[in-house]
């Protein structure tokens, strides 16, 4: 895909300070509060948010703030353990109280703050515990060293087994991202929160123009369980501190970080034992290719077959035949994905079965008709951390990929026992 | 819904003969072949088929036959153990060979036959074993007594733990349906095969006009695992032998049979321990209501929560917020559902969270904001064969329902171990 190599780490770019703390939202007593502050002038920002009709309070507030501040932000607040979703006007007031606390502590306008939250839907935020924790963190806990961003990533985790991070150097500039989210994840924004920070100098309009298509190729191609959460958010923030301007290289760096984070999230899907990547070529266009890739990694039956290391290509063919062009572009604050604009959602992708070829772990298993292959050899290859399913639709130059994970008894257990 | 009471049985209506046999398709040696023959003049017929782009050979052939015969059919052939899907031209030739065998044995035109098949995707049908079995069955195995239809239902089963059947008497006429399918089931036609037979006298055009909306309210509202199979088919066939003509009462009888079969399928979903019914009221229209109901019963997280008897209404709210109007009408041979025509698929249903009310087993758990309830009492109620989730969108008169089942470790086990 021409993307640069990424480094699996979080490195705070220049122009930011960051820190994390324990505010007592999580019963576990683990870190649950993170602040990223912009030094000096506000940074340029773009965002994408969930399309769920029950958006969380931080989504509602952040969207309003971005509209009001013209894409210039001074702080990002994250809380974990409580999603502050389905909490109505009271929840929105809670979220605004936290924004006010951040703004007051940093001496900025509350509308220059953005926020994310993750955790249970329904409960109210313990504002009385979080406000003093914010004050303490801003007063003494923010650092400018590269490792400070890792602390924020750790404080975002809920059911994640590990933090997700990725960094790219683009000349003298740094792009570094962190993310959380391993369940309630589905295309049209995973249930997930991500920050991508850079010290490059890029205007908000350029960030917005980049972010929509990048999310369309990365996070919108990620699925764990088919549920789109009330809280999905991606923030792309550029401090400008490196003085490096926009370039195609920088855009590719941002996409590489986004793609790596999405893949890390799929691999850490709840209960998952392996990452499933579906790569589609030969589609009429990239939108069709992405739809087919998404259908394959979304299929419960494909996911269960991969878990059983069963090269059950019939289920893959079935999933290809079910592929639908995604619903209308949803990258609200990032602007529309131009590739997808004008495409009608909800329609089956037109596929000619006679032209379709399918590979599992590089072994051809279908070529318009079933082909003879050694199932035992494919099973053997399927004992890998990443299972690659290749699909050639034989109908054009469109390419796309999607990321998912196997469906396991552990997923069901985890989600049956997770308590309200 | 004003539907008549149904009887859980299969009763062959007048004007048909039916029988089942073991042709040796299934390795288990269980019955795997069924024939329903129309006595005298061809019967009127309507059908709906899968929208999957990898349609099975029986779907391709039956669709072509219905186009050619103008909705006049003389025999229905069912085989189980092999879906005859993704088998290309050779598979279509196999299916035509079976149709020719049925036609020859019954002295009818092959184009007056329709067929369904269910089982593994990929393998070829063992035509050389099935043809003689058809000949023997037609020669000596077809019966006109009411119980003969039950044998056909039994011979349709694959992973079904029990046969599904429902019968309604409408005055002097009988409507009786059979169905199979407990996995690879999702709206836009479940992975399922169903016959609804009646001895009423109804023209094909009237049957088609009835079948689309009925399937839209019943089988298209059924989901087990989100996969739409390559083989989905519903046949509605009227022999006319009772002499009873079309009426609203008859239409309701057909819908009652369809609804009962869909509910039986959901309750018997692979690995399921309970039926989940979501009933939606207060939607802007019925299309929105059905979309919301479908989103709730389709959510893996809701399904897992029900399995854990956890009144996790946050996941229900999340699913409501994700609801999308279904893709374009897909009831190919049945004509379009007029309620749905013109609605754009893939768009989120517009929901105002502040007006939404949610009940679980008749206990209110959300009313625009979280409400206080006794979780232990709700858990207690959730130990039932049917879990009813009620949703009031507070925004109109639209109503709808959908049927699903809980997600269990057993589902994953069954589908990880089911072998290619």
């Amino acid at each position: 895909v021409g993307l640069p190599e990424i480094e699996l780490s979080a490195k705070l770019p220049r122009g930011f300070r960051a820190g994390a703390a324990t505010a007592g939202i999580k019963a576990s007593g683990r870190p649950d509060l993170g602040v990223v502050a912009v030094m000096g002038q506000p940074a340029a920002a773009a965002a994408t948010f969930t399309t769920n009709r029950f958006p969380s309070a931080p989504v509602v507030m952040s969207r309003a703030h971005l509209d009001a501040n013209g894409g210039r932000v001074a702080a990002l607040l994250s809380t974990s353990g409580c999603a502050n979703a389905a909490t109505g006007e009271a929840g929105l007031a809670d979220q605004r109280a936290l924004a006010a606390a951040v703004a007051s502590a940093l001496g900025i306008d509350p509308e220059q703050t953005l926020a994310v939250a993750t955790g249970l839907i329904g409960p109210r935020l313990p504002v009385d515990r979080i406000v003093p924790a914010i004050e303490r963190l801003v007063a003494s806990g923010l650092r400018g060293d590269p490792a400070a961003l890792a602390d924020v990533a750790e404080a975002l985790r809920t059911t994640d087994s590990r933090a997700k991070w990725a960094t790219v150097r683009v000349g003298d500039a740094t792009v570094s991202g962190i993310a959380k989210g391993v369940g309630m994840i589905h295309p049209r924004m995973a249930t997930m929160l991500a920050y991508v920070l850079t010290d490059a100098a890029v205007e908000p309009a350029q960030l917005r123009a980049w972010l929509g298509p990048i999310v369309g190729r990365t996070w919108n191609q990620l699925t764990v369980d088919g549920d789109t959460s009330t809280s999905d958010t991606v923030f792309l923030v550029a401090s400008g501190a490196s003085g490096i301007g926009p370039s195609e290289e920088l855009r590719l760096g941002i996409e590489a970080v986004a793609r790596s984070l999405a893949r890390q999230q799929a691999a850490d899907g709840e209960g998952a034992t392996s990452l499933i990547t579906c790569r589609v070529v030969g589609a009429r266009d990239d939108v069709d290719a992405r739809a087919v890739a998404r259908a394959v990694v979304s299929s419960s039956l494909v996911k269960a077959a991969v878990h059983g290391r069963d090269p059950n290509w019939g289920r893959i063919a079935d999933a290809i035949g079910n592929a639908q062009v995604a619903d209308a572009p949803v990258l609200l604050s990032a602007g529309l994905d131009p590739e997808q604009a004008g495409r009608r959602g909800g329609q089956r992708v037109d596929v000619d079965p006679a032209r379709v070829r399918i590979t599992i772990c590089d072994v051809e298993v279908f070529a318009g008709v079933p082909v003879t292959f050694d199932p035992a050899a494919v099973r053997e290859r399927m004992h890998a951390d990443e299972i690659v399913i290749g699909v050639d639709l034989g109908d054009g130059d469109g390419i796309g990929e999607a990321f998912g994970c196997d469906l396991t008894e552990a997923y069901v257990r985890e989600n049956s026992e997770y308590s309200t």
Side-chain angles (χ1 to χ4, degrees), chain A:
Chain A
V1 212
L3 297 181
E5 286 292 305
I6 56 91
E7 187 186 313
L8 292 178
S9 66
K11 295 261 164 62
L12 190 70
R14 284 165 291 179
F16 298 98
R17 287 178 302 149
T22 300
I25 311 168
K26 290 177 180 167
S28 66
R30 294 175 61 176
D32 49 20
L33 172 69
V35 170
V36 175
V38 179
M39 297 169 70
Q41 289 302 305
T48 65
F49 297 105
T50 183
T51 55
N52 194 295
R53 296 294 191 192
F54 267 85
S56 68
V59 166
V60 172
M61 187 193 75
S62 297
R63 199 185 279 154
H65 283 186
L66 271 175
D67 285 346
N69 64 33
R72 300 286 173 184
V73 307
L76 310 178
L77 172 73
S78 60
T79 47
S80 61
C82 166
N84 194 13
T87 47
E89 287 298 322
L92 193 55
D94 291 344
Q95 198 68 45
R96 290 200 177 111
L98 301 190
V102 171
S104 164
L106 286 166
I108 59 172
D109 185 324
E111 287 190 340
Q112 290 178 323
T113 66
L114 301 178
V116 296
T118 176
L120 277 170
I121 296 172
R124 297 275 298 276
L125 282 171
V127 173
D128 55 336
R129 289 203 293 277
I130 304 172
V131 166
I134 289 171
E135 288 165 353
R136 283 193 302 273
L137 178 60
V138 171
S140 62
L142 300 185
R143 292 145 39 211
D145 62 289
L149 188 57
D151 294 349
V152 179
E154 291 288 354
L156 269 183
R157 287 169 54 184
T158 54
T159 53
D160 301 61
S161 74
R162 61 190 92 94
K164 284 88 187 160
W165 35 47
T167 297
V168 167
R169 309 275 179 187
V170 181
D172 202 36
T174 297
V175 178
S176 188
I178 59 173
K180 71 78 56 182
V182 292
M184 209 184 264
I185 283 191
H186 193 56
R188 329 283 81 233
M189 290 300 289
T191 300
M192 42 132 273
L193 309 176
Y195 295 172
V196 180
L197 308 181
T198 178
D199 46 20
V202 189
E203 291 299 300
Q206 180 66 71
L207 294 179
R208 284 195 292 271
W210 281 347
L211 186 59
I214 286 174
V215 170
R217 287 187 291 268
T218 57
W219 280 298
N220 275 351
Q221 294 295 104
L222 161 66
T223 187
V224 168
D225 53 18
D227 272 287
T228 302
S229 97
T230 56
S231 307
D232 305 335
T233 302
V234 174
F235 291 144
L236 170 60
V237 183
S239 71
S242 73
I244 308 286
S247 65
E248 175 63 6
E249 200 186 357
L250 180 67
R251 192 195 66 72
L252 289 172
I254 293 168
E255 179 153 349
V257 166
R259 181 175 183 271
S260 173
L261 293 172
R263 286 168 56 86
Q264 291 177 57
Q265 288 175 278
D268 195 28
E270 285 176 346
T273 66
S274 59
L275 168 65
I276 306 176
T277 298
C278 180
R279 296 211 173 98
V280 176
V281 300
R284 291 194 187 166
D285 58 27
D286 292 357
V287 173
D288 274 6
R290 291 202 293 270
V292 168
R294 212 168 43 232
V296 170
V297 301
S298 297
S299 160
S300 292
L301 291 166
V302 170
K303 289 156 63 75
V306 168
H307 182 51
R309 271 57 188 168
D310 177 6
N312 192 325
W313 62 265
R315 294 179 181 179
I316 299 170
D318 181 81
I320 293 168
N322 283 329
Q324 297 185 9
V325 174
D327 48 336
V330 296
L331 312 165
L332 301 180
S333 300
L336 303 183
D337 177 349
E339 288 181 33
Q340 197 163 298
R343 290 294 293 272
R344 181 177 169 137
Q347 299 284 27
R348 293 258 188 268
V349 174
D350 211 6
V351 169
D352 179 357
R355 294 181 179 200
V356 172
R357 289 169 179 269
I358 301 171
T359 59
I360 300 174
C361 299
D362 292 324
V363 177
E364 186 167 77
V365 294
F366 183 81
V369 292
V371 297
T372 304
F373 65 94
D374 177 359
V378 180
R379 269 175 208 279
E380 190 58 41
R381 286 175 180 230
M382 290 176 81
H383 286 89
D385 292 339
E386 180 175 8
I387 309 298
V388 179
I389 296 171
V391 176
D392 184 346
L393 297 177
D395 204 23
D397 296 325
I399 62 168
E401 57 183 357
F403 311 107
C405 58
D406 55 340
L407 175 63
T408 68
E409 290 97 327
Y411 173 86
V412 178
R413 246 187 334 266
E414 198 165 327
N415 283 295
S416 299
E417 290 166 8
Y418 189 82
S419 182
T420 45

